[in-house]
């Protein structure tokens, strides 16, 4: 028993515990970091300087904001008309409602369309370098004399972005040689400058739907605060015009349908009225039962035709008023104001991010360098063999 107990104790001492192993590994890691502390500090300092450079020379941006609530899709104005149409043997369905509007889920596709963006390109703005003169947003993006100098953008363009710049130049020349649009086609096309402006506008414009709360936010980011507010308001107004155009088209289609139904009902009413009058003139005494039955039938047809005609006359006037009436389809609950605080650059976040990136890069290099050196050494030995 004593011998077995001694053996168990001896074996327990020979096998290191997991806690001891973890403590040894942690100690080894801290020792390596302490030995390479100068390298870590230098690397982190370099990244910190890069972060300071990026934070100080990044272009200033302002974001203007607007919140709107879209109008409900239908107001139920076509209910009576649907019943009357059913009386006439016509099923107009729910699409005849004059209050139908576009679903807000379609709004993001509208603002991304080429015709919509072209209208935004013509927004009049005033920038610092225009010296009080109004220019269009298209002029700003295509004429460098109106744009503030962007050091970071220039560095990125001719360093990291140089390969893409060359590829785009080659691709652009090839496209110009191959593109021969037909004059018979009237499809919307963008030239090189318009394509660049289109991408700039789409990159600065944001439209966010909040289906749970039922509102839409419109944002536009620009280098100057007042111009950002103007462009945001232009986006809101243009979007409202597009939605109103769809609604007006629906109401005009509804008016055309009601007008056609009214003309048919009027003609039918006049025919029934004339037939009843002719019968009454020809049968003044109404001495027979068959004559009285015929008169009753003609009067019933006349009453039905008159009811349909009268109700359709009311619906026609309502449809005409609906076309003339101008109701806002986007109710503004938070109007556009000129932003006071800049939205970019966020210097503290940029500096903290580069500082963290430098620390991670330095520590990662310390622990991966031995593995890299081992792989390189193995490759050299394989080549020698």
């Amino acid at each position: 028993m004593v011998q077995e107990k001694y053996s168990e104790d001896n074996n327990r001492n020979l096998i290191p515990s997991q806690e001891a192993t973890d403590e040894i590994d942690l100690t080894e890691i801290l020792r390596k970091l302490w030995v390479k502390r100068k390298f870590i500090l230098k690397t982190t300092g370099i990244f910190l300087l890069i972060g300071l450079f990026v934070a100080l020379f990044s272009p200033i941006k302002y974001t203007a904001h607007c919140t709107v609530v879209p109008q409900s899709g239908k107001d139920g104005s076509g209910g009576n008309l649907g019943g009357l149409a059913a009386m006439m043997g016509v099923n107009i369905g729910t699409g005849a409602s004059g209050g139908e509007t576009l679903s807000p889920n379609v709004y993001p596709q509208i603002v991304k369309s080429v015709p919509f963006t072209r209208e935004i390109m013509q927004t009049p703005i005033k920038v610092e370098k225009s010296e009080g003169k109004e220019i269009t947003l298209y002029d700003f993006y295509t004429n460098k004399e109106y744009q503030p100098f962007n050091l970071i953008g220039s560095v990125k363009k001719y360093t990291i972005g140089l390969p893409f710049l060359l590829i785009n130049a080659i691709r652009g020349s090839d496209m110009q040689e191959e593109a021969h649009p037909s004059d018979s086609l009237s499809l919307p096309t963008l030239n090189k400058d318009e394509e660049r402006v289109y991408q700039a506008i789409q990159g600065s414009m944001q439209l966010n739907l909040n289906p749970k709360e039922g509102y839409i936010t419109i944002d536009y980011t620009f280098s100057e605060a007042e111009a950002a507010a103007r462009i945001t308001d232009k986006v809101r107004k243009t979007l409202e015009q597009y939605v109103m155009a769809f609604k007006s088209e629906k109401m005009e289609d509804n008016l055309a349908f009601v007008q056609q139904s009214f003309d048919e009902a009027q003609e039918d009413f006049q025919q029934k009225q004339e037939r009843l009058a002719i019968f009454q003139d020809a049968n003044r005494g109404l001495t027979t039962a068959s004559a009285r039955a015929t008169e009753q039938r003609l009067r019933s047809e006349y009453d039905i035709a008159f009811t349909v005609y009268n109700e359709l006359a009311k619906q026609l006037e309502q449809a005409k008023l609906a076309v003339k009436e101008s109701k806002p389809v986007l109710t503004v609950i938070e109007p556009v104001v000129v932003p006071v605080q800049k939205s970019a650059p966020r210097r503290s976040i940029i500096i903290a991010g580069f500082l963290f990136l430098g620390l991670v890069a330095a520590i990662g290099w310390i622990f991966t360098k031995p593995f890299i050196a081992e792989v390189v050494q193995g490759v050299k030995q394989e080549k020698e063999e």
Side-chain angles (χ1 to χ4, degrees), residues 36 61 99 121 167 179 189 196 225 237 287 331:
K36 297 290 186 178
K61 299 289 184 181
M121 290 180 189
I167 292 173
T189 57
R196 188 170 68 252
K237 291 179 179 178
T287 57
T331 304

Side-chain angles (χ1 to χ4, degrees), residues 169-274:
I170 297 172
R171 185 181 300 172
S173 60
D174 292 341
M175 290 178 63
Q176 288 179 358
E177 291 176 0
E178 295 176 2
H180 297 288
S182 176
D183 295 335
S184 61
L185 298 177
S186 60
L187 298 176
T189 57
L190 294 174
N191 56 39
K192 187 176 180 181
D193 290 337
E194 287 177 334
E195 174 66 23
R196 188 170 68 252
V197 175
Y198 173 87
Q199 296 297 336
I201 291 176
Q202 292 297 325
S204 302
M205 179 172 53
Q206 289 186 350
L207 188 144
N208 299 315
L209 304 177
N210 192 325
K212 184 177 180 181
E213 301 295 335
Y215 64 84
I216 299 172
T217 58
I218 302 172
D219 300 329
Y220 198 90
T221 303
F222 199 68
S223 58
E224 297 189 21
E226 184 178 352
R230 280 196 179 190
I231 300 169
T232 304
D233 194 53
K234 175 67 173 179
V235 172
R236 179 192 65 80
K237 291 179 179 178
T238 306
L239 178 61
E240 187 172 25
Q241 289 174 1
Y242 271 69
V243 180
M244 278 294 299
F246 174 83
K247 184 177 181 180
S248 298
E249 182 180 357
K250 287 293 182 181
M251 289 190 291
E252 289 174 358
D253 292 342
N254 180 49
L255 174 60
F257 173 80
V258 177
Q259 182 69 58
Q260 181 182 359
S261 301
F262 172 78
D263 294 339
E264 294 174 357
Q266 185 180 35
E267 182 179 357
D268 182 65
F269 165 70
Q270 290 174 351
Q271 290 177 358
K272 297 292 194 302
Q273 187 182 39
E274 184 177 357

Side-chain angles (χ1 to χ4, degrees), residues 39-104:
F39 173 76
I40 295 174
L41 291 174
K42 288 180 180 179
T43 305
T44 306
I46 293 173
F47 274 83
L48 179 61
L49 292 176
I50 297 174
L52 286 171
F53 176 79
V54 173
L56 291 175
F57 293 99
S58 292
I60 296 175
K61 299 289 184 181
Y62 294 90
T63 300
H65 178 82
C66 176
T67 304
V68 297
V69 175
Q71 193 184 66
S72 60
K74 298 178 181 179
D75 58 5
S77 62
N80 296 332
L81 179 60
L84 292 171
M87 291 173 59
M88 299 172 61
V90 179
N91 181 18
I92 64 175
T94 58
S97 173
E100 186 176 354
T101 58
L102 278 173
S103 169

